[in-house]
């Protein structure tokens, strides 16, 4: 989609949801009978009602050329929720992403990751030094962790083959995006699963 069309799409979404005061965690709607829209306020927990809403939207998702996932002001929570319920059910190809987290020196950090089976790697061994050039106060960081995320159209959860969604996917973000929500944004940007739309988030990732 061209930049002017993307801006038009973004404006249309804002106009349609600007007056919404819905406090529910998950909101779904069809905008102008042509755009599928999903708003996620938090990844802390999905209730059965939340997953039912998503599943209902996904039943007919291929009837719409554009699908917008709105995670603006989503403070994060559990990465497994977006993996299992947002990406995996409609993935139509193989998408891979490698994410890095930088860490400062500290016993609490070391104990936390050791208890979860992750090893902290020396920052001097970071595989792509160009990435670090944009990090503020990089000298404060001593370690990093590396995560690899991969989806295919063979379900990683149930082993079922599926066709997935073949339209355009857009992820709306802003400075209120943290934690696992930022993880979704990083995955989308790195893998190309969705076009990330919005300003720089709180984690400092530059978003187009």
């Amino acid at each position: 989609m061209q930049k002017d069309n993307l801006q038009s799409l973004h404006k249309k979404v804002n106009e349609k949801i600007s007056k919404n005061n819905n406090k529910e965690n998950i909101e779904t709607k069809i905008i102008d009978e042509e755009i599928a829209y999903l708003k996620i306020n938090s990844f802390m927990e999905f209730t059965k009602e939340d997953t039912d809403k998503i599943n209902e939207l996904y039943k007919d998702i291929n009837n719409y050329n554009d699908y917008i996932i709105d995670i603006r002001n989503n403070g994060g929570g559990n990465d497994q929720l977006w993996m299992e319920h947002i990406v995996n059910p409609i993935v139509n190809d193989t998408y891979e992403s490698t994410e890095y987290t930088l860490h400062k020196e500290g016993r609490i950090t070391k104990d936390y990751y050791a208890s979860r089976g992750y090893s902290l790697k020396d920052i001097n061994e970071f595989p792509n030094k160009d990435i670090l050039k944009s990090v503020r106060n990089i000298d404060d960081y001593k370690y990093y962790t590396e995560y690899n995320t991969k989806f295919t159209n063979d379900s990683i959860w149930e082993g079922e083959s599926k066709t997935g969604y073949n339209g355009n996917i857009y992820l709306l973000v802003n400075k209120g995006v943290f934690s696992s929500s930022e993880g979704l944004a990083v995955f989308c940007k790195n893998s190309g699963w969705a076009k990330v739309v919005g300003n720089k988030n709180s984690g400092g990732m530059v978003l187009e």
Side-chain angles (χ1 to χ4, degrees):
M1 178 176 288
Q2 297 298 318
K3 184 176 181 180
D4 55 345
N5 290 335
L6 183 57
Q7 291 175 339
S8 175
L9 184 67
H10 197 183
K11 180 180 179 181
K12 181 182 293 188
V13 170
N14 286 334
E15 289 174 347
K16 295 295 181 179
I17 67 173
S18 60
K19 297 181 180 180
N20 174 54
N21 294 315
N22 190 350
K23 299 301 182 182
E24 295 180 350
N25 188 39
I26 298 291
E27 177 192 0
T28 64
K29 64 171 57 179
I30 304 302
I31 299 175
D32 292 347
E33 300 183 351
E34 60 183 16
I35 303 168
Y37 173 82
L38 170 65
K39 170 65 176 175
I40 309 166
N41 289 311
S42 172
F43 285 118
M44 292 300 294
E45 180 183 11
F46 280 2
T47 65
K48 184 178 184 302
E49 181 181 2
D50 291 337
T51 56
D52 285 347
K53 287 180 180 179
I54 298 170
N55 293 338
E56 185 65 25
L57 179 70
Y58 279 4
K59 278 173 47 179
D60 300 313
I61 192 69
N62 275 304
N63 290 340
Y64 309 100
N65 290 328
D66 298 310
Y67 172 35
I68 294 175
I69 304 169
D70 188 347
I71 59 169
R72 290 176 294 183
N73 298 316
N74 185 324
N78 185 347
D79 287 293
Q80 291 296 107
L81 294 182
W82 66 258
M83 291 180 180
E84 181 174 357
H85 298 289
I86 307 303
V87 177
N88 187 68
I90 60 170
V91 72
N92 66 346
D93 204 340
T94 298
Y95 294 90
E96 298 183 68
S97 172
T98 299
E99 300 91 35
Y100 301 96
T101 303
L102 305 184
H103 308 280
K104 298 179 180 180
E105 181 69 76
R107 173 53 57 187
I108 294 178
T109 298
K110 290 181 178 179
D111 290 346
Y112 174 85
Y113 282 94
S115 68
R116 285 158 177 76
Y118 291 103
S119 60
L120 295 178
K121 301 179 181 180
D122 191 305
I123 194 69
N124 294 314
E125 300 174 359
F126 196 84
N128 189 340
K129 296 298 192 297
D130 289 337
I131 295 178
L132 300 181
K133 292 179 180 178
S134 62
V135 178
R136 294 181 180 179
N137 303 317
I138 185 60
D139 291 339
D140 293 342
Y141 296 95
K142 305 302 180 184
Y143 306 100
Y144 75 95
T145 46
E146 179 177 335
Y147 307 91
N148 297 296
T149 306
K150 180 178 181 179
F151 294 91
T152 70
N153 65 337
D154 291 325
S155 173
I156 60 174
W157 305 106
E158 300 177 5
E160 298 178 356
S161 178
K162 52 190 181 300
T163 58
Y165 175 62
N166 297 310
N168 306 306
I169 305 176
Y170 304 94
L171 184 75
L172 302 188
V173 302
N174 64 4
K175 292 183 178 180
V177 169
F178 292 89
S179 181
S180 59
S181 298
E182 184 178 21
L184 173 56
V186 171
F187 167 75
C188 290
K189 184 176 177 65
N190 288 350
S191 69
W193 183 73
K195 173 71 175 179
V196 182
V197 182
N199 53 5
K200 184 181 293 187
N201 63 15
S202 296
M205 185 177 71
V206 178
L207 304 176
E208 299 175 350

